């Protein structure tokens, strides 16, 4: 009798282990079944840049993630990481897009250069623009992606790249490419350090006369997520509004989503809590909040859906 019960318990244990293994394998298969590693060339030749990259990579690498549905084409968003590289933030927003049947192209600016993430290896933000244009060109030529439903979202460094595109950076930085064919229909920039654009506004205008700046992205298709306690900004509550006024010549408050009591990187891993560091000569404090992160991920995805549904 004792042997019988031991065998029965063993069988139950083995069955639980088998089911758990099947579930894990099934989950991994489902989550990875529609993802592919991709690489593509950078696009664009820099005409104006303070510190041009000496040895740019031949190709940019990343991953494309498709929703697990049978759609012939998908709306898609390019996700660009911040100085800390690919990680918790990009994964969380990627999962949210996939959940809403929006494909995601996630590029790795550091890995493409065989570098580790961090401010030590971070270049001038505009140096990465050819990476972004290459990614957009790849998306525009992908048969699985709806050409009319391509967006871009980025965090910090990636958000800054979003702002460059929002003001039509390419006419004064590059030449000889049909930019309108690969332009995102909407951009959401997460804490993009607007002060860096505002302080250098007049310097950038020297590239071209103010009246020649191209604004390829309608102001209604831009959102800036601006935490009110972002130490990177001189005036967190007004800096991104000033950016809009500088470059678009008018102020529309709805463009800037102020995150009350949010810090730079507030949507990071909640396990990290509050931590401090120093960057660009400033003392930075980040406090992660799962609640705020979820709220603004939801807002971001819903915003892209509203834009895509009108295209």
């Amino acid at each position: 009798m004792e042997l019988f019960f031991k065998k029965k318990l063993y069988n139950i244990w083995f069955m639980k282990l088998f089911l758990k293994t099947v579930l894990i394998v099934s989950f991994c298969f489902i989550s990875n079944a529609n993802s592919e590693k991709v690489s593509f060339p950078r696009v664009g030749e820099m005409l104006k840049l303070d510190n041009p990259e000496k040895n740019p990579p031949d190709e940019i690498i990343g991953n494309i993630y498709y929703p697990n549905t049978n759609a012939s084409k998908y709306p898609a968003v390019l996700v660009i990481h911040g100085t800390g590289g690919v990680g918790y933030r990009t994964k969380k927003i990627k999962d949210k897009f996939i959940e809403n049947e929006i494909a995601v192209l996630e590029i790795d600016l550091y890995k493409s250069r065989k570098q580790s993430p961090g401010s030590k290896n971070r270049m001038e933000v505009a140096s990465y623009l050819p990476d972004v244009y290459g990614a957009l060109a790849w998306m525009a030529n992908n048969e699985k992606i709806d050409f009319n439903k391509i967006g871009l979202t980025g965090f910090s460094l990636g958000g800054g790249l979003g702002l460059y595109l929002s003001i039509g950076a390419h006419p004064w930085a590059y030449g000889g490419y049909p930019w309108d064919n690969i332009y995102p229909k909407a951009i959401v920039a997460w804490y993009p350090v607007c002060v860096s654009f505002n302080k250098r506004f007049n310097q950038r205008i020297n590239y071209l006369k103010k009246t020649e700046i191209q604004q390829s992205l309608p102001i209604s298709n831009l959102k800036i997520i601006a935490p009110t306690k972002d130490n990177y900004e001189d005036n967190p509550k007004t800096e991104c509004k000033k950016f809009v006024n500088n470059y678009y010549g008018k102020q529309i408050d709805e463009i800037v989503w102020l995150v009350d009591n949010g810090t730079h990187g507030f949507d990071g891993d909640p396990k990290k809590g509050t931590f401090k560091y120093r960057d660009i000569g400033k003392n930075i404090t980040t406090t992660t909040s799962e609640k705020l992160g979820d709220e603004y991920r939801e807002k971001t995805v819903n915003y892209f859906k509203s834009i895509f549904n009108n295209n």
Side-chain angles (χ1 to χ4, degrees), residues 159-214:
L161 286 164
L163 291 194
Y164 268 112
L165 266 72
S166 74
I167 60 175
H170 52 275
W172 53 260
Y174 305 95
Y177 200 88
W179 303 110
D180 290 340
N181 292 336
I182 60 171
Y183 221 73
K185 296 298 184 292
I187 293 172
V188 176
W190 292 65
Y191 34 85
V193 192
C194 293
V195 68
S196 64
F197 286 82
N198 296 335
K199 283 185 175 180
R200 301 180 63 194
F201 179 65
N202 291 329
Q203 180 181 344
R204 285 200 171 87
I205 295 307
N206 288 336
Y207 293 147
L208 288 176
K209 293 179 181 179
K210 184 174 181 179
T211 55
E212 293 177 29
I213 289 183
Q214 301 289 321

Side-chain angles (χ1 to χ4, degrees), residues 7-265:
K7 285 184 176 180
K8 189 170 183 179
L9 287 171
Y10 175 82
N11 289 337
I12 292 173
W13 173 84
F14 181 82
M15 182 59 67
K16 286 183 177 180
L17 177 63
F18 174 78
L19 290 173
K20 185 177 181 180
T21 303
V22 169
L23 286 172
I24 292 173
V25 171
S26 298
F27 175 77
C28 292
F29 176 77
I30 292 171
S31 63
N32 294 321
N34 291 321
S35 69
E36 302 170 14
K37 292 183 178 180
V38 298
S39 62
F40 42 80
R42 302 167 90 226
V43 169
E45 180 181 357
M46 288 303 286
L47 301 180
K48 297 288 183 180
L49 193 64
D50 295 343
N51 298 297
E53 187 174 3
K54 293 181 179 179
N55 298 298
D58 294 327
E59 290 189 318
I60 301 305
I61 60 176
N63 289 280
I64 181 71
Y65 300 88
Y66 299 108
N68 198 13
T69 64
N70 295 320
S72 58
K73 288 182 179 291
Y74 298 96
V77 173
L78 172 60
V79 173
I80 309 175
H81 62 74
T83 298
V86 171
Y88 181 89
R89 294 179 180 86
T90 55
K91 181 183 184 303
K92 292 291 284 188
I93 197 71
K94 179 258 295 181
D95 290 346
K96 195 67 180 176
F97 280 126
I98 295 298
E99 179 185 317
N100 284 271
E101 301 185 2
I102 297 173
V104 170
L105 174 60
E106 180 182 56
I107 58 175
D108 194 325
L109 305 177
Y110 291 116
K111 194 172 183 180
S112 298
R113 291 166 172 80
K114 298 180 181 179
Q115 297 174 337
S116 57
S119 58
K120 180 180 178 180
N121 289 321
R122 181 184 60 210
M123 300 184 297
E124 182 181 351
V125 175
S127 299
Y128 300 105
L129 279 170
D131 304 28
V132 178
Y133 289 131
L136 292 170
W138 183 89
M139 295 171 79
N141 289 286
N142 186 330
E143 294 182 352
K144 292 183 179 180
I145 292 176
D146 188 333
F147 176 85
N148 295 308
K149 298 180 179 181
I150 293 175
L152 181 153
T153 191
F155 303 84
S156 192
L157 165 64
L161 286 164
L163 291 194
Y164 268 112
L165 266 72
S166 74
I167 60 175
H170 52 275
W172 53 260
Y174 305 95
Y177 200 88
W179 303 110
D180 290 340
N181 292 336
I182 60 171
Y183 221 73
K185 296 298 184 292
I187 293 172
V188 176
W190 292 65
Y191 34 85
V193 192
C194 293
V195 68
S196 64
F197 286 82
N198 296 335
K199 283 185 175 180
R200 301 180 63 194
F201 179 65
N202 291 329
Q203 180 181 344
R204 285 200 171 87
I205 295 307
N206 288 336
Y207 293 147
L208 288 176
K209 293 179 181 179
K210 184 174 181 179
T211 55
E212 293 177 29
I213 289 183
Q214 301 289 321
Q215 294 175 0
S216 296
L217 186 79
I219 191 171
S220 59
N221 288 26
L222 169 67
K223 296 294 182 186
I224 302 174
I225 297 176
T228 60
K229 292 185 177 180
D230 188 339
N231 301 137
Y232 279 93
E233 305 283 16
D234 288 352
N235 300 290
K237 294 182 180 180
T238 60
E239 210 70 63
C240 288
K241 292 183 178 182
K242 184 178 179 181
F243 163 84
V244 174
N245 188 62
N246 278 344
Y247 286 92
Y248 284 93
K250 55 184 175 180
Q251 182 58 57
I252 300 179
D253 290 342
E254 289 77 11
I255 301 306
V256 180
W257 289 341
L258 287 176
V259 184
D260 288 335
N261 296 315
T263 65
H264 194 91

